[in-house]
């Protein structure tokens, strides 16, 4: 085995927060471009690659992942329907490294490749580009699309002209693509978009997302002269905070446009409305539809009616309706009442409002006619108990539905409201590994530390013995009210075939049981998130699925809090973990570009109570010298705009210096990826092969033991 890189020299930085002294021995790593830091990171990356690639069956596992993923001829995503019957979508052939934009014309029935990111000009041979979004103009003649390089999420807009078959000259950079997609205006000659400021290189990282603005662009005009229409600097706009994200949404078949304000990463939004013809005009007056305190997290517009998804007096959400002519949230009509089910989303179609309902984890869909008639369930296949609304339009009846299961791939259906039934669209082909035999999925409720029951989904081969011998991968997240969706990926068979178990812990901080479930795992209540995860691990051991020597954990991004604190609180419970692009230094997260927007979710060090909560959830501050930690694989992409790579570097350095066990601590670095968004097929496969090989090695699988 290659010689281990040296430890990073610890420094002596100490800061005082509310009278408490906090040491930060690896503060120097935050100057990430400093040559000494970069040299150390490259040595760690080189060493991790050497160790992982030397595992005897790692290559065979990668080949199996490649084979499983190539079982279907292609996959589809981001479907857009058009009134003339044309369909636009992202399609990725089994041989493609990234998805490409296609159009399937209704007449004649033919498919055309429109945008191929693999043909974009590269600065280096290892660069790649991925599509961030796309929108079809109302007349169907043009397509605006966003793309970013090498997982950076630094998004640029271009406009493709279907008549000429080429991009127009219009190019706009620094696009806010997370919370503010662009929208065409009805003239098909102009669109609205949200843009981040052009800051000098000397600006502090925490300024990066401040004062985003929404603008209007007309084709052929210089983007530098685009008009500000919504945001803190736009004439007539409501007052906004520096970390608010403004967007203008242009609903189909409506005389209104919606001004949406996201308050950082808070899920509750503020909405305004104005008639479309007033957009950009002097004297514009935005009507407030709902405020942050109204706990609205989603909406849909049909004509002059707006449907609002709200948690006001409804911990599991409800849907109310008011008129944009005279919005009145307190007197809004209840359309879907609060119940035991979580109202999880809404979509308008020409015939009805369609609503997703969660019952723990499985999701069903109901149809609610506009005329006040009774709601009707959208029927789902018996073997596909979860349905997801894929595409609906206010000017077209029915919806497209994608079904899901833990143990077989779903299908893409069209729901016809006149027949009340689903029809397979035939757009998604069945692959060789889409419906494997001999798998079992079980849903259980696990008592946590305080008696609250946590949903746990467990997937394994039917013939797996419950004798504690199965390598078991426990995954969790637990932030922003996000619920891990039911889904099946053929590549998971590479783990299940070896007798492995996959388990999904739907911990607090997520959205399995609505707003209250989310708020029970953020800021001061954040410890519930990792304690729920620990309880799920203990359940898997107690019920014979595995044992601590074969239990591994994985989580990423905000889930880095969960997995990092799980092993610092219960290092004895896990054989190995993967901390992927993880938030692990929560006292310093606020200094990064993406830190300030996350204050509503995690807190700020400027307030005593929230500082205490951040310290409690910060992995790096709970690593103890002499701790017997499990094997740890930290993974990060250098271009990550959401979690700075230095968080993983600092955490690697601290674990390496502190651990008293003989288990490895590895730092896997991808120099051509970011947060995972925008990674190529091959990058995803390589990382999965590395992580799973690491896990199987630590679980004692004989095929993955390195040569002595």
């Amino acid at each position: 085995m290659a010689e281990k890189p040296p430890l990073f020299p610890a420094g002596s930085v100490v800061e005082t927060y509310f009278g408490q002294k906090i040491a930060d021995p690896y503060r120097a790593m935050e100057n990430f471009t400093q040559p000494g830091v970069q040299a150390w990171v490259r040595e760690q990356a080189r060493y991790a690659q050497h160790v992982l690639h030397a595992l005897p069956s790692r290559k065979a596992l990668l080949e199996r992942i490649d084979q499983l993923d190539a079982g279907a001829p292609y996959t589809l995503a981001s479907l857009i329907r058009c009134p003339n019957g044309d369909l636009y979508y992202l399609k990725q052939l089994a041989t493609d490294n990234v998805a490409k934009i296609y159009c399937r014309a209704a007449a004649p029935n033919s498919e055309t490749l429109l945008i191929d990111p693999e043909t974009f000009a590269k600065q280096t041979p290892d660069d790649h580009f991925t599509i961030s979004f796309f929108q079809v103009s109302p007349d169907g003649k043009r397509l605006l699309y966003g793309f970013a390089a090498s997982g950076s999420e630094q998004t640029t807009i271009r406009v493709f002209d279907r008549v000429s078959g080429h991009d127009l000259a219009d190019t706009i950079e620094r696009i806010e693509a997370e919370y503010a997609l662009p929208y065409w205006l009805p003239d098909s000659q102009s669109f609205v978009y949200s843009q981040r400021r052009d800051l000098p290189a000397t600006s502090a990282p925490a300024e990066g997302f401040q004062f985003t603005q929404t603008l209007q662009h007309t084709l052929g005009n210089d983007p530098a002269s685009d008009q500000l229409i919504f945001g803190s600097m736009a004439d007539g706009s409501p007052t906004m905070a520096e970390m608010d994200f403004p967007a203008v949404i242009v609903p189909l078949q409506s005389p209104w446009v919606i001004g949406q304000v996201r308050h950082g990463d808070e899920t509750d939004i503020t909405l305004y409305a104005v008639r479309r013809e007033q957009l950009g005009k002097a004297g514009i007056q935005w009507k407030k539809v709902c405020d942050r305190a109204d706990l609205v997290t989603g909406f849909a517009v049909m004509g002059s009616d707006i449907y609002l998804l709200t948690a006001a007096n409804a911990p599991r959400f409800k849907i109310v309706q008011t008129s944009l002519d005279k919005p009145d949230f307190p007197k809004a009509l209840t359309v879907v009442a609060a119940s035991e089910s979580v109202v999880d989303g809404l979509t308008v179609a020409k015939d009805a409002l369609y609503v997703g309902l969660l019952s723990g984890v499985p999701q069903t869909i109901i149809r609610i006619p506009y005329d006040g008639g009774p709601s009707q369930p959208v029927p789902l296949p018996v073997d596909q108990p979860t349905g997801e609304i894929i595409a609906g339009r206010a000017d077209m009846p029915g919806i497209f539905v994608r079904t899901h299961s833990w143990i077989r791939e779903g299908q893409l259906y069209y729901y016809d409201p006149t027949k009340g039934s689903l029809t397979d669209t035939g757009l998604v082909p069945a692959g060789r590994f889409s419906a494997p035999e001999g798998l079992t999925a079980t849903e259980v409720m696990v008592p946590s530390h305080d008696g609250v029951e946590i949903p746990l989904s467990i997937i394994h081969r039917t013939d797996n013995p419950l004798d504690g011998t199965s390598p078991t991968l426990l995954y969790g997240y637990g932030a922003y009210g996000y619920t891990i969706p039911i889904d099946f990926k053929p590549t998971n068979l590479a783990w299940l075939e070896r007798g492995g178990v996959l388990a999904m812990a739907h911990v607090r901080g997520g959205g399995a049981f609505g707003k209250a479930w989310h708020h029970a795992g953020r800021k001061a209540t954040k410890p519930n998130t990792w304690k729920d995860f620990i309880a799920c691990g203990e359940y898997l051991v107690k019920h014979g699925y595995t044992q601590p020597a074969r239990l591994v954990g994985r989580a990423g991004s905000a889930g880095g809090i969960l997995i990092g604190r799980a092993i610092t609180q219960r290092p004895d419970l896990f054989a190995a973990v993967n901390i992927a692009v993880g938030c692990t230094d929560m006292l310093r997260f606020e200094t990064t570009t993406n830190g300030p927007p996350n204050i509503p979710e995690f807190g700020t060090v400027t307030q005593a109570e929230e500082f205490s909560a951040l310290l409690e959830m910060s992995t790096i501050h709970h690593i103890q010298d002499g701790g017997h930690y499990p094997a740890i694989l930290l993974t990060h992409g250098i271009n990550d705009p959401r979690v700075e790579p230095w968080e993983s570097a600092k955490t690697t350095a601290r674990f390496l210096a502190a651990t008293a066990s003989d288990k490895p601590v590895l730092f896997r670095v991808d120099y051509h990826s970011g947060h995972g968004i925008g990674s190529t097929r091959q990058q995803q496969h390589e990382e999965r092969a590395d992580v799973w090989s690491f896990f199987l090695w630590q679980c004692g699988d004989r095929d993955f033991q390195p040569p002595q």
Side-chain angles (χ1 to χ4, degrees), residues 1-150:
M1 188 172 289
E3 183 179 351
K4 293 182 180 180
L7 298 178
F8 193 87
S12 57
V13 174
V14 177
E15 288 185 320
T16 301
Y17 298 86
F18 303 99
Q20 185 171 355
K21 294 185 181 298
I22 304 292
D24 188 355
Y26 300 105
R27 177 68 62 84
M29 284 187 165
E30 295 180 20
N31 186 4
F32 201 62
T33 59
Q34 197 273 333
V37 175
Q38 280 299 299
W40 186 86
V41 170
R42 286 192 178 276
E43 275 300 293
Q44 291 293 330
R46 177 200 59 78
Y47 179 71
Q49 183 183 60
H50 176 86
V51 171
L52 295 169
H53 286 210
L55 299 177
S57 289
R58 186 260 180 197
K59 181 179 179 182
L61 181 64
L62 174 60
E63 291 173 350
R64 181 56 173 161
I65 290 170
D66 289 343
Q67 180 187 48
L68 291 165
D69 201 32
Y74 60 83
T75 57
L76 293 184
S78 303
L79 184 72
I80 293 178
R81 305 164 66 197
C82 293
N84 65 355
D86 291 352
L87 295 174
Y88 292 80
Y89 41 75
L90 288 174
K91 180 177 181 178
Q92 188 169 9
L93 300 176
T95 54
D96 287 338
N97 216 16
V98 297
K100 306 172 183 182
I101 303 176
Y102 286 78
C103 175
R104 179 178 292 278
N109 186 10
S110 60
E111 184 183 67
T112 304
L113 171 61
L114 301 180
I115 310 294
D116 182 356
E118 296 194 273
T119 65
F120 294 0
K122 301 178 181 179
Q123 291 186 341
T124 73
D126 292 321
D127 285 344
H128 69 272
F129 297 90
T130 51
I131 301 297
S132 307
F133 56 79
F134 66 95
Q135 301 279 18
V136 182
S137 63
D139 62 9
K141 294 180 179 179
R142 297 180 181 90
L143 193 84
L144 71 81
Y145 65 95
F147 65 95
S150 300

Side-chain angles (χ1 to χ4, degrees), residues 347-390:
T347 299
V348 293
K350 187 175 183 179
D351 59 292
L353 178 71
Y354 290 85
V355 175
L357 300 177
L358 279 180
S359 297
V361 184
Q363 178 169 290
T364 56
I365 302 170
I366 58 173
R367 174 182 181 270
I368 304 173
Y370 296 124
D371 62 9
S375 63
Q376 306 145 338
V378 172
L380 298 173
V382 174
D383 62 346
Q384 301 287 322
T386 285
E388 176 188 7
I389 302 170
I390 293 295

Side-chain angles (χ1 to χ4, degrees), residues 175 184 186 308 422 491 594 660 686:
I175 298 301
W184 285 101
L308 303 167
L422 296 177
T491 51
N594 198 35
E686 292 276 355

Side-chain angles (χ1 to χ4, degrees), residues 98-391:
V98 297
K100 306 172 183 182
I101 303 176
Y102 286 78
C103 175
R104 179 178 292 278
N109 186 10
S110 60
E111 184 183 67
T112 304
L113 171 61
L114 301 180
I115 310 294
D116 182 356
E118 296 194 273
T119 65
F120 294 0
K122 301 178 181 179
Q123 291 186 341
T124 73
D126 292 321
D127 285 344
H128 69 272
F129 297 90
T130 51
I131 301 297
S132 307
F133 56 79
F134 66 95
Q135 301 279 18
V136 182
S137 63
D139 62 9
K141 294 180 179 179
R142 297 180 181 90
L143 193 84
L144 71 81
Y145 65 95
F147 65 95
S150 300
S152 67
E153 301 182 54
Q154 302 303 308
T155 305
T156 297
I157 281 180
R158 286 184 184 159
V159 179
F160 178 78
D161 182 68
R162 293 215 58 195
V163 177
S164 68
H166 298 287
D167 284 342
L168 302 178
D170 307 72
T171 300
I172 308 174
E173 298 181 335
R174 304 189 317 280
I175 298 301
E176 167 54 52
E178 175 74 3
Y179 294 134
L181 291 180
Y183 281 84
W184 285 101
L185 290 167
D187 62 4
S188 295
Q189 297 294 315
S190 53
F191 57 85
V192 295
Y193 64 94
S194 294
Q195 187 179 47
R196 298 171 184 166
R197 292 184 298 164
D198 186 11
L199 294 171
T202 55
S203 299
E207 296 180 29
F209 290 161
Q210 291 179 356
F211 301 112
T212 298
Q213 303 293 320
T214 304
L215 302 94
Q216 180 173 329
H217 177 74
T218 299
L219 297 179
N221 287 357
D222 181 355
S225 63
D226 285 352
Q227 181 184 5
L228 288 171
I229 57 171
F230 193 60
S232 59
M233 302 176 190
D235 290 341
S237 264
T239 302
M240 296 186 198
E242 62 183 20
M243 207 50 67
D244 283 344
F245 295 112
V248 170
I249 290 91
V250 185
L252 291 170
Q253 303 290 296
S254 175
W256 297 88
V257 296
I258 303 297
Q260 173 186 284
V261 182
R262 290 292 301 255
H263 307 285
D265 285 338
E266 173 64 78
T267 56
D268 303 320
I269 57 180
T270 301
L271 297 177
Y272 301 87
V274 71
R275 293 191 71 87
R276 194 171 57 229
E277 64 269 15
Q278 295 181 16
L279 193 64
K281 300 290 179 63
I284 186 172
Q285 293 185 337
W286 292 89
K287 297 181 181 181
K288 182 176 284 187
V289 178
C290 61
D291 213 335
R292 193 172 183 175
D294 295 320
L295 305 181
V296 170
T297 60
F299 68 95
V301 175
M302 185 63 180
S304 290
D305 290 328
I306 185 166
Y307 297 86
L308 303 167
L309 177 63
T310 173
N313 301 313
R316 299 191 180 188
F317 294 96
K318 63 183 178 182
I319 294 176
V320 299
Q321 172 196 346
T322 189
S323 172
L324 293 172
D325 294 317
K326 192 177 181 181
D328 189 345
F329 182 84
K331 295 181 180 179
L333 174 69
T334 297
V335 177
V336 178
S339 70
E340 288 300 303
S341 295
V342 176
V343 185
D344 193 47
L346 68 169
T347 299
V348 293
K350 187 175 183 179
D351 59 292
L353 178 71
Y354 290 85
V355 175
L357 300 177
L358 279 180
S359 297
V361 184
Q363 178 169 290
T364 56
I365 302 170
I366 58 173
R367 174 182 181 270
I368 304 173
Y370 296 124
D371 62 9
S375 63
Q376 306 145 338
V378 172
L380 298 173
V382 174
D383 62 346
Q384 301 287 322
T386 285
E388 176 188 7
I389 302 170
I390 293 295

Side-chain angles (χ1 to χ4, degrees), residues 364-685:
T364 56
I365 302 170
I366 58 173
R367 174 182 181 270
I368 304 173
Y370 296 124
D371 62 9
S375 63
Q376 306 145 338
V378 172
L380 298 173
V382 174
D383 62 346
Q384 301 287 322
T386 285
E388 176 188 7
I389 302 170
I390 293 295
R393 288 178 60 116
D395 56 354
M396 299 180 71
I399 55 171
F400 277 57
V401 175
R402 183 68 188 258
T403 57
H404 295 278
S405 161
W406 288 121
I407 58 176
R408 63 184 62 236
E409 279 196 298
Q411 293 294 318
L412 183 60
Y413 295 94
Y414 170 65
Y415 175 74
D416 185 340
T418 61
K419 298 179 180 178
S421 61
L422 296 177
T423 302
D424 191 338
T425 63
L427 291 170
V428 178
R432 287 189 295 150
F433 309 106
S434 296
E437 298 294 331
L439 296 183
T440 296
T442 306
E443 305 288 347
V444 298
M445 299 297 290
V446 176
S448 191
H449 68 102
D450 55 0
V452 173
E453 293 195 322
I454 313 303
L456 177 65
S457 306
I458 309 170
I459 304 99
H460 58 87
R461 279 185 1 198
T462 305
D463 61 359
N464 269 26
L466 292 179
D467 59 1
T469 60
S470 297
T472 298
L473 199 173
L474 179 61
Y475 176 80
Y477 186 67
Y480 311 114
Y482 172 77
T483 303
I484 302 169
I486 291 178
D487 198 16
F488 171 79
K489 293 180 174 62
T491 51
N492 286 343
L493 290 172
W495 179 267
L496 297 169
E497 288 169 343
R498 301 192 69 86
V501 174
L502 291 173
M504 312 295 172
H506 306 283
V507 299
R508 280 172 283 185
F513 294 113
K515 174 72 74 173
W517 196 256
H518 171 204
H519 284 194
R522 72 171 196 168
K523 292 189 176 180
T525 59
K526 193 63 183 171
N528 286 329
T529 299
W530 63 82
K531 291 179 181 181
D532 291 351
F533 190 77
I534 288 169
C536 289
E538 291 172 335
Y539 178 94
L540 293 166
V541 171
K542 179 179 179 181
H543 288 81
Y545 289 96
T546 194
Q547 56 186 280
R550 291 191 171 93
L551 177 63
V552 297
R554 184 173 193 271
S557 191
I561 298 170
L562 172 154
I563 194 68
R565 289 297 282 115
I567 61 167
T568 47
Q569 184 162 318
R570 285 294 308 278
D572 59 305
L573 185 59
F574 301 92
V577 297
N578 169 217
I579 307 175
V581 295
C583 296
T584 51
D585 185 350
M586 298 308 293
L587 296 189
R588 297 293 294 167
F589 187 42
E590 201 172 335
T591 68
T592 70
T593 302
N594 198 35
N598 275 279
I599 288 173
E601 182 72 18
F602 303 124
T604 174
V605 296
T606 64
Q607 297 181 23
E609 182 180 349
E610 295 189 358
F611 155 73
S612 297
L614 286 163
L615 180 61
E616 181 63 21
M617 70 179 79
S618 185
T619 294
I620 200 167
H621 294 96
H622 289 83
I623 301 172
Q624 300 295 319
D625 290 332
H628 287 266
Y629 294 108
I632 302 168
L633 174 61
L634 297 102
T635 54
H636 222 120
I638 286 295
N639 301 323
D640 191 343
R642 302 190 181 212
V643 180
E644 292 290 342
W646 56 250
E647 289 213 38
S648 289
K650 288 176 72 172
T651 307
T652 300
R654 181 72 183 106
F655 270 123
L656 283 169
T659 187
S661 74
D662 59 356
K663 301 292 184 69
V665 177
L666 302 179
F667 186 21
R668 181 192 188 276
V669 182
D670 189 331
Y671 282 87
H672 302 283
S673 74
H675 201 63
I677 299 165
S679 291
T680 67
R681 181 196 300 272
Q682 196 56 38
Q683 284 176 315
Q684 295 172 32
H685 290 187

